[in-house]
Amino acid sequence: MISKAKSKYIKSLQVKKYRIQEQCFLVEGAKSVEEVVHSAFEVQMIVATQSFLDTSKVLLPKETEVLVANESELSELGSLQTNDSIMAVVRMKPNKELTVRANEFALALDDIRDPGNLGTIIRTADWYGLSKVIASEETADFYNPKAISATMGSFCRVEIYYTNLAAYLKDCSVPVYGTFLDGQSVHGFSFADQGLIVIGNESRGISAEVEKCIKTKITIPRFGKAESLNAGVATAVVLDNLRRSKK
Amino acid sequence: MISKAKSKYIKSLQVKKYRIQEQCFLVEGAKSVEEVVHSAFEVQMIVATQSFLDTSKVLLPKETEVLVANESELSELGSLQTNDSIMAVVRMKPNKELTVRANEFALALDDIRDPGNLGTIIRTADWYGLSKVIASEETADFYNPKAISATMGSFCRVEIYYTNLAAYLKDCSVPVYGTFLDGQSVHGFSFADQGLIVIGNESRGISAEVEKCIKTKITIPRFGKAESLNAGVATAVVLDNLRRSKK
């Protein structure tokens, strides 16, 4: 049984305003919690079902408060439709400036609004070995429970930095690539050894202000009739072409 | 103002049971409705705001019933959070068997459960010029409003056939490819001139029964640490490699 005060506190972390106030966020489900307890993140509190605690092999960090809840309590506390295992309250990291080094690629997100898309993009970046994402201030919150869930644990390995994206790109010294309908085909495209790849908003694409900072326009060739690709899908196709061009 | 009976009928189409009973589904938003009125689908009813009807260039089919609703009524009838423009009630197509022809590729979906993922996969198939999807019976419903929305209009150009997938694959004469963690790399892979590409369930991947029907296992090379890719993302990367291999 969880006290009303704790229940209210945990539920409040579904809302960005309270996450910022408390500097904490929710991690839900066995896989994501397992990743976070092995990461550099500081786990503040664990809530789990007794049956999960009895049978799971997830090593819980010492000195962390562990609360026991039944399935329906646990599901009610978080954003998942059902959760029969575990969730964690974790401290957010500060919004630290990120720099793209030599021989490194990173993503730049120009107003990705959907938390699920953001999470999928983080997971895809991790698959392709990218560990930095620069995001415009209007991009969905990295710590939104839906974004965290969609990363499937990759939030532990990919850092994000929210900033004025156009100003950041103007000052950056590496090549800046962006996907447009009228750029050079990514099939056989020769990327530099480092750079930033800009991904545009789900409906408007890349904004005019950010477009001015893009030195090279690239395009994913189309073979059918869809007008555009989902933002996460476009990210994956560009990164796949980037990685195969470097082999 | 919409009658209670009509409002109840339209809302009921958010639920699969009633879609099957009525053989109708919902198409929401200006872009999707514009695509559907120009397609082979039969539009049964239109609901739109007066301001949208006054200003829009969407040509409404003659002899279709058009109801006028205000924004809040329209949003309440459908699945979108807000809809200030238009929605349509459209007749479903029969579940017709699809065959993969010579020089054609199609997708086979082995229990894609999330309607949003299904919609993204349909949209991606359309981008890469595929027009047929064979889906296991447990795959999410193509006519779910979330799936239809996520296709961004591509539901008009891509057909789906629900069937016992393992039985279908056993009998099919074209090469069957499937994505696994231990297959041949898709980078530089040489696909045949026709075939089926199997996409597995979001958490379990491809089932043992379907795996038996797969002649060639392929893999998307990984460069980082994520354990897997989102199903829509994996579909896109495979199709991109398929199309560039054929140029």
Side-chain angles (χ1 to χ4, degrees):
Chain A
M1 195 61 194
I2 295 173
S3 74
K4 271 198 182 165
K6 285 215 167 123
S7 161
K8 193 177 161 194
Y9 166 67
I10 297 168
K11 279 186 200 167
S12 79
L13 299 177
Q14 292 187 41
V15 180
K16 185 173 179 180
K17 179 180 142 189
Y18 297 109
R19 286 197 295 275
I20 292 173
Q21 191 179 300
E22 303 291 344
Q23 289 292 302
C24 280
F25 68 105
L26 300 176
V27 176
E28 301 172 80
K31 183 178 155 31
S32 293
V33 173
E34 185 163 11
E35 298 248 19
V36 82
V37 299
H38 291 106
S39 77
F41 278 104
E42 184 194 329
V43 178
Q44 191 189 69
M45 191 192 293
I46 295 277
V47 191
T49 59
Q50 191 59 56
S51 66
F52 182 80
L53 291 172
D54 291 345
T55 55
S56 128
K57 282 165 193 147
V58 176
L59 281 177
L60 299 182
K62 282 177 196 164
E63 293 168 28
T64 298
E65 182 177 23
V66 179
L67 305 177
V68 176
N70 62 37
E71 268 190 54
S72 69
E73 282 176 315
L74 193 59
S75 303
E76 225 178 83
L77 290 173
S79 72
L80 299 179
Q81 275 199 325
T82 57
N83 182 353
D84 60 1
S85 57
I86 191 165
M87 68 192 292
V89 175
V90 180
R91 281 206 77 74
M92 283 162 57
K93 288 182 182 167
N95 187 38
K96 203 184 71 182
E97 182 164 355
L98 297 173
T99 311
V100 185
R101 295 184 313 256
N103 297 312
E104 185 181 40
F105 272 87
L107 292 179
L109 308 183
D110 187 13
D111 294 3
I112 294 293
R113 294 296 180 101
D114 180 78
N117 280 344
L118 174 63
T120 301
I121 289 170
I122 301 283
R123 178 181 177 188
T124 304
D126 186 25
W127 178 275
Y128 285 105
L130 275 59
S131 62
K132 292 173 187 166
V133 172
I134 320 299
S136 68
E137 280 147 352
E138 299 303 312
T139 294
D141 183 21
F142 180 74
Y143 295 109
N144 179 306
K146 282 184 192 150
I148 292 291
S149 284
T151 71
M152 296 292 282
S154 292
F155 71 93
C156 295
R157 286 177 297 271
V158 177
E159 287 185 287
I160 195 162
Y161 170 49
Y162 288 89
T163 187
N164 179 318
L165 188 60
Y168 181 95
L169 295 176
K170 231 171 269 168
D171 286 345
C172 96
S173 59
V174 297
V176 180
Y177 302 94
T179 49
F180 292 86
L181 290 173
D182 60 346
Q184 297 177 57
S185 167
V186 291
H187 290 174
F189 180 79
S190 186
F191 287 90
D193 292 332
Q194 55 273 310
L196 269 161
I197 295 164
V198 182
I199 307 295
N201 169 268
E202 290 93 339
S203 46
R204 294 186 317 273
I206 292 173
S207 65
E209 205 191 350
V210 168
E211 185 176 345
K212 284 182 207 150
C213 313
I214 290 171
K215 290 152 201 164
T216 311
K217 291 185 179 182
I218 54 178
T219 294
I220 298 171
R222 179 171 71 163
F223 298 81
K225 291 193 173 151
E227 272 178 30
S228 62
L229 287 168
N230 164 285
V233 157
T235 306
V237 173
V238 171
L239 294 185
D240 190 71
N241 279 278
L242 166 69
R243 290 306 185 198
R244 64 146 53 210
S245 83
K246 291 289 160 205
K247 285 198 294 190
Chain B
M1 196 60 191
I2 296 174
S3 73
K4 272 198 181 164
K6 287 216 165 122
S7 160
K8 193 177 161 196
Y9 165 66
I10 297 168
K11 278 186 200 167
S12 78
L13 300 177
Q14 292 186 40
V15 179
K16 186 173 179 180
K17 178 180 142 189
Y18 297 108
R19 287 196 294 275
I20 292 172
Q21 190 177 301
E22 303 290 345
Q23 288 293 301
C24 281
F25 68 104
L26 300 176
V27 176
E28 301 172 83
K31 184 180 156 29
S32 293
V33 173
E34 186 163 8
E35 298 248 18
V36 83
V37 299
H38 291 104
S39 76
F41 279 105
E42 183 195 329
V43 178
Q44 190 187 70
M45 191 193 293
I46 295 277
V47 192
T49 59
Q50 191 60 54
S51 65
F52 183 80
L53 291 172
D54 291 344
T55 55
S56 126
K57 282 165 195 145
V58 177
L59 281 176
L60 300 182
K62 281 175 196 167
E63 293 168 28
T64 299
E65 182 177 24
V66 178
L67 305 176
V68 176
N70 62 38
E71 267 190 54
S72 68
E73 282 176 315
L74 192 59
S75 303
E76 224 179 82
L77 290 174
S79 72
L80 300 179
Q81 275 200 324
T82 59
N83 182 354
D84 61 0
S85 58
I86 191 165
M87 69 192 292
V89 175
V90 180
R91 283 207 76 75
M92 283 162 56
K93 289 182 182 168
N95 187 38
K96 202 184 70 184
E97 182 165 354
L98 297 173
T99 312
V100 184
R101 296 184 313 256
N103 297 311
E104 186 181 40
F105 273 86
L107 292 179
L109 307 184
D110 186 14
D111 293 3
I112 294 293
R113 294 296 179 103
D114 180 78
N117 281 345
L118 174 63
T120 301
I121 289 170
I122 301 284
R123 178 182 178 187
T124 304
D126 186 26
W127 179 274
Y128 284 106
L130 274 60
S131 62
K132 292 173 188 166
V133 172
I134 319 300
S136 69
E137 279 147 352
E138 298 302 312
T139 293
D141 182 22
F142 180 74
Y143 295 109
N144 179 306
K146 282 184 193 152
I148 292 291
S149 283
T151 71
M152 296 292 283
S154 292
F155 72 92
C156 296
R157 287 176 295 272
V158 177
E159 288 185 286
I160 195 161
Y161 170 50
Y162 288 89
T163 187
N164 179 319
L165 189 60
Y168 181 95
L169 295 176
K170 232 170 268 169
D171 286 346
C172 95
S173 59
V174 299
V176 180
Y177 303 95
T179 49
F180 292 86
L181 291 174
D182 60 345
Q184 297 177 57
S185 167
V186 291
H187 289 174
F189 180 80
S190 189
F191 287 89
D193 292 333
Q194 55 274 311
L196 268 162
I197 294 164
V198 182
I199 307 296
N201 171 268
E202 290 95 336
S203 45
R204 296 186 315 275
I206 292 172
S207 65
E209 205 191 351
V210 168
E211 185 175 347
K212 284 183 208 150
C213 313
I214 291 171
K215 290 151 202 166
T216 311
K217 291 185 178 181
I218 54 177
T219 293
I220 298 171
R222 178 171 72 162
F223 298 82
K225 291 192 172 151
E227 272 178 31
S228 62
L229 287 168
N230 163 285
V233 157
T235 306
V237 173
V238 171
L239 294 184
D240 190 71
N241 278 279
L242 165 69
R243 288 309 185 196
R244 64 148 50 214
S245 82
K246 291 290 162 203
K247 284 198 297 189

Short mmCIF file of all heavy atoms in Angstrom, two decimals, chain B residues 117-146:
data_model
loop_
_atom_site.label_atom_id
_atom_site.label_comp_id
_atom_site.label_asym_id
_atom_site.label_seq_id
_atom_site.Cartn_x
_atom_site.Cartn_y
_atom_site.Cartn_z
N ASN B 117 1.90 1.80 -35.45
CA ASN B 117 2.98 1.13 -36.19
C ASN B 117 2.47 0.60 -37.52
O ASN B 117 3.15 0.73 -38.55
CB ASN B 117 3.54 -0.05 -35.37
CG ASN B 117 4.51 0.40 -34.29
OD1 ASN B 117 4.99 1.52 -34.31
ND2 ASN B 117 4.78 -0.49 -33.35
N LEU B 118 1.28 -0.02 -37.51
CA LEU B 118 0.72 -0.54 -38.77
C LEU B 118 0.56 0.59 -39.79
O LEU B 118 0.97 0.45 -40.95
CB LEU B 118 -0.64 -1.20 -38.50
CG LEU B 118 -1.40 -1.65 -39.76
CD1 LEU B 118 -0.63 -2.72 -40.53
CD2 LEU B 118 -2.80 -2.17 -39.41
N GLY B 119 0.02 1.72 -39.33
CA GLY B 119 -0.17 2.87 -40.23
C GLY B 119 1.15 3.37 -40.79
O GLY B 119 1.27 3.66 -42.00
N THR B 120 2.16 3.47 -39.94
CA THR B 120 3.48 3.93 -40.40
C THR B 120 4.06 2.95 -41.42
O THR B 120 4.69 3.36 -42.41
CB THR B 120 4.43 4.07 -39.19
OG1 THR B 120 3.87 5.01 -38.28
CG2 THR B 120 5.81 4.55 -39.61
N ILE B 121 3.85 1.66 -41.20
CA ILE B 121 4.36 0.64 -42.14
C ILE B 121 3.66 0.77 -43.50
O ILE B 121 4.31 0.69 -44.55
CB ILE B 121 4.19 -0.77 -41.52
CG1 ILE B 121 5.19 -0.95 -40.37
CG2 ILE B 121 4.35 -1.87 -42.57
CD1 ILE B 121 4.99 -2.20 -39.52
N ILE B 122 2.36 1.01 -43.49
CA ILE B 122 1.60 1.18 -44.74
C ILE B 122 2.12 2.41 -45.51
O ILE B 122 2.33 2.38 -46.73
CB ILE B 122 0.08 1.37 -44.43
CG1 ILE B 122 -0.51 0.18 -43.67
CG2 ILE B 122 -0.72 1.71 -45.69
CD1 ILE B 122 -0.78 -1.04 -44.45
N ARG B 123 2.34 3.50 -44.75
CA ARG B 123 2.85 4.74 -45.36
C ARG B 123 4.23 4.52 -45.97
O ARG B 123 4.54 4.97 -47.08
CB ARG B 123 2.90 5.80 -44.26
CG ARG B 123 3.45 7.16 -44.66
CD ARG B 123 3.47 8.05 -43.41
NE ARG B 123 4.01 9.38 -43.63
CZ ARG B 123 4.24 10.26 -42.65
NH1 ARG B 123 3.96 9.95 -41.39
NH2 ARG B 123 4.74 11.44 -42.92
N THR B 124 5.06 3.77 -45.25
CA THR B 124 6.42 3.50 -45.71
C THR B 124 6.40 2.59 -46.94
O THR B 124 7.14 2.80 -47.91
CB THR B 124 7.23 2.84 -44.57
OG1 THR B 124 7.18 3.70 -43.43
CG2 THR B 124 8.66 2.59 -44.96
N ALA B 125 5.53 1.57 -46.92
CA ALA B 125 5.38 0.68 -48.08
C ALA B 125 5.03 1.51 -49.31
O ALA B 125 5.62 1.35 -50.39
CB ALA B 125 4.30 -0.36 -47.81
N ASP B 126 4.09 2.45 -49.14
CA ASP B 126 3.65 3.30 -50.25
C ASP B 126 4.80 4.17 -50.76
O ASP B 126 4.98 4.33 -51.97
CB ASP B 126 2.49 4.18 -49.75
CG ASP B 126 1.84 5.02 -50.85
OD1 ASP B 126 1.91 4.63 -52.02
OD2 ASP B 126 1.25 6.07 -50.51
N TRP B 127 5.61 4.73 -49.86
CA TRP B 127 6.78 5.54 -50.27
C TRP B 127 7.72 4.72 -51.16
O TRP B 127 8.25 5.21 -52.14
CB TRP B 127 7.53 6.04 -49.02
CG TRP B 127 8.76 6.84 -49.34
CD1 TRP B 127 10.02 6.35 -49.57
CD2 TRP B 127 8.87 8.26 -49.48
NE1 TRP B 127 10.90 7.37 -49.83
CE2 TRP B 127 10.21 8.56 -49.78
CE3 TRP B 127 7.95 9.31 -49.37
CZ2 TRP B 127 10.67 9.87 -49.98
CZ3 TRP B 127 8.40 10.61 -49.56
CH2 TRP B 127 9.74 10.88 -49.87
N TYR B 128 7.90 3.45 -50.77
CA TYR B 128 8.83 2.61 -51.52
C TYR B 128 8.15 1.84 -52.66
O TYR B 128 8.73 0.90 -53.23
CB TYR B 128 9.59 1.68 -50.56
CG TYR B 128 10.67 2.45 -49.80
CD1 TYR B 128 10.50 2.78 -48.45
CD2 TYR B 128 11.81 2.89 -50.45
CE1 TYR B 128 11.47 3.53 -47.77
CE2 TYR B 128 12.78 3.62 -49.78
CZ TYR B 128 12.61 3.94 -48.45
OH TYR B 128 13.56 4.68 -47.79
N GLY B 129 6.92 2.19 -52.98
CA GLY B 129 6.26 1.63 -54.15
C GLY B 129 5.69 0.24 -53.98
O GLY B 129 5.46 -0.45 -54.97
N LEU B 130 5.45 -0.19 -52.75
CA LEU B 130 4.80 -1.48 -52.52
C LEU B 130 3.30 -1.24 -52.33
O LEU B 130 2.91 -0.28 -51.68
CB LEU B 130 5.35 -2.17 -51.25
CG LEU B 130 6.62 -3.02 -51.42
CD1 LEU B 130 7.77 -2.19 -51.94
CD2 LEU B 130 6.99 -3.67 -50.09
N SER B 131 2.47 -2.12 -52.90
CA SER B 131 1.03 -1.86 -52.81
C SER B 131 0.26 -3.00 -52.15
O SER B 131 -0.96 -2.98 -52.12
CB SER B 131 0.47 -1.57 -54.20
OG SER B 131 0.65 -2.71 -55.01
N LYS B 132 1.00 -4.01 -51.65
CA LYS B 132 0.31 -5.15 -51.02
C LYS B 132 0.93 -5.51 -49.69
O LYS B 132 2.16 -5.59 -49.58
CB LYS B 132 0.37 -6.38 -51.94
CG LYS B 132 -0.44 -6.22 -53.21
CD LYS B 132 -0.21 -7.39 -54.15
CE LYS B 132 -0.88 -7.12 -55.50
NZ LYS B 132 -0.39 -8.06 -56.53
N VAL B 133 0.06 -5.76 -48.73
CA VAL B 133 0.51 -6.21 -47.40
C VAL B 133 -0.30 -7.44 -47.02
O VAL B 133 -1.54 -7.41 -47.07
CB VAL B 133 0.31 -5.09 -46.35
CG1 VAL B 133 0.57 -5.61 -44.95
CG2 VAL B 133 1.19 -3.88 -46.65
N ILE B 134 0.40 -8.51 -46.68
CA ILE B 134 -0.26 -9.73 -46.18
C ILE B 134 -0.10 -9.69 -44.66
O ILE B 134 1.03 -9.55 -44.17
CB ILE B 134 0.41 -11.01 -46.73
CG1 ILE B 134 0.79 -10.87 -48.22
CG2 ILE B 134 -0.44 -12.24 -46.46
CD1 ILE B 134 -0.35 -10.61 -49.16
N ALA B 135 -1.19 -9.78 -43.92
CA ALA B 135 -1.09 -9.64 -42.47
C ALA B 135 -1.65 -10.86 -41.75
O ALA B 135 -2.65 -11.43 -42.17
CB ALA B 135 -1.86 -8.40 -42.02
N SER B 136 -0.97 -11.26 -40.67
CA SER B 136 -1.49 -12.33 -39.82
C SER B 136 -2.80 -11.87 -39.22
O SER B 136 -3.06 -10.67 -39.10
CB SER B 136 -0.49 -12.65 -38.73
OG SER B 136 -0.44 -11.56 -37.83
N GLU B 137 -3.61 -12.82 -38.79
CA GLU B 137 -4.93 -12.47 -38.24
C GLU B 137 -4.83 -11.67 -36.95
O GLU B 137 -5.77 -10.97 -36.58
CB GLU B 137 -5.77 -13.74 -38.06
CG GLU B 137 -6.41 -14.15 -39.39
CD GLU B 137 -6.57 -15.65 -39.58
OE1 GLU B 137 -6.05 -16.42 -38.74
OE2 GLU B 137 -7.22 -16.05 -40.57
N GLU B 138 -3.70 -11.77 -36.25
CA GLU B 138 -3.53 -11.03 -34.99
C GLU B 138 -2.99 -9.62 -35.21
O GLU B 138 -2.79 -8.86 -34.25
CB GLU B 138 -2.60 -11.79 -34.05
CG GLU B 138 -3.11 -13.17 -33.64
CD GLU B 138 -4.46 -13.08 -32.96
OE1 GLU B 138 -4.62 -12.24 -32.06
OE2 GLU B 138 -5.37 -13.85 -33.35
N THR B 139 -2.69 -9.27 -36.44
CA THR B 139 -2.20 -7.91 -36.73
C THR B 139 -3.31 -6.90 -36.46
O THR B 139 -4.48 -7.20 -36.64
CB THR B 139 -1.71 -7.85 -38.19
OG1 THR B 139 -0.56 -8.68 -38.31
CG2 THR B 139 -1.34 -6.43 -38.62
N ALA B 140 -2.91 -5.69 -36.02
CA ALA B 140 -3.88 -4.62 -35.74
C ALA B 140 -4.78 -4.39 -36.94
O ALA B 140 -4.40 -4.67 -38.09
CB ALA B 140 -3.14 -3.33 -35.39
N ASP B 141 -5.97 -3.88 -36.69
CA ASP B 141 -6.95 -3.66 -37.75
C ASP B 141 -6.57 -2.46 -38.62
O ASP B 141 -6.40 -1.36 -38.13
CB ASP B 141 -8.34 -3.43 -37.12
CG ASP B 141 -9.42 -3.25 -38.17
OD1 ASP B 141 -9.23 -3.70 -39.31
OD2 ASP B 141 -10.46 -2.65 -37.84
N PHE B 142 -6.45 -2.71 -39.90
CA PHE B 142 -6.16 -1.68 -40.90
C PHE B 142 -7.14 -0.51 -40.80
O PHE B 142 -6.78 0.64 -41.05
CB PHE B 142 -6.29 -2.35 -42.28
CG PHE B 142 -6.04 -1.49 -43.48
CD1 PHE B 142 -4.76 -1.10 -43.82
CD2 PHE B 142 -7.09 -1.11 -44.32
CE1 PHE B 142 -4.52 -0.35 -44.97
CE2 PHE B 142 -6.86 -0.35 -45.47
CZ PHE B 142 -5.56 0.04 -45.79
N TYR B 143 -8.40 -0.80 -40.42
CA TYR B 143 -9.45 0.23 -40.40
C TYR B 143 -9.57 0.93 -39.04
O TYR B 143 -10.45 1.75 -38.85
CB TYR B 143 -10.78 -0.40 -40.81
CG TYR B 143 -10.78 -0.87 -42.24
CD1 TYR B 143 -10.77 -2.23 -42.56
CD2 TYR B 143 -10.77 0.05 -43.29
CE1 TYR B 143 -10.75 -2.66 -43.88
CE2 TYR B 143 -10.74 -0.38 -44.61
CZ TYR B 143 -10.74 -1.73 -44.90
OH TYR B 143 -10.72 -2.14 -46.21
N ASN B 144 -8.69 0.61 -38.10
CA ASN B 144 -8.63 1.34 -36.83
C ASN B 144 -8.32 2.81 -37.15
O ASN B 144 -7.42 3.10 -37.93
CB ASN B 144 -7.51 0.71 -35.98
CG ASN B 144 -7.34 1.40 -34.63
OD1 ASN B 144 -7.15 2.61 -34.57
ND2 ASN B 144 -7.40 0.62 -33.58
N PRO B 145 -9.04 3.76 -36.57
CA PRO B 145 -8.81 5.18 -36.92
C PRO B 145 -7.36 5.62 -36.72
O PRO B 145 -6.85 6.44 -37.48
CB PRO B 145 -9.74 5.95 -35.98
CG PRO B 145 -10.73 4.98 -35.47
CD PRO B 145 -10.13 3.61 -35.57
N LYS B 146 -6.68 5.06 -35.71
CA LYS B 146 -5.27 5.44 -35.49
C LYS B 146 -4.37 4.92 -36.61
O LYS B 146 -3.40 5.57 -37.00
CB LYS B 146 -4.77 4.89 -34.15
CG LYS B 146 -5.25 5.74 -32.99
CD LYS B 146 -4.68 5.25 -31.68
CE LYS B 146 -5.43 5.90 -30.54
NZ LYS B 146 -5.43 5.09 -29.33
#
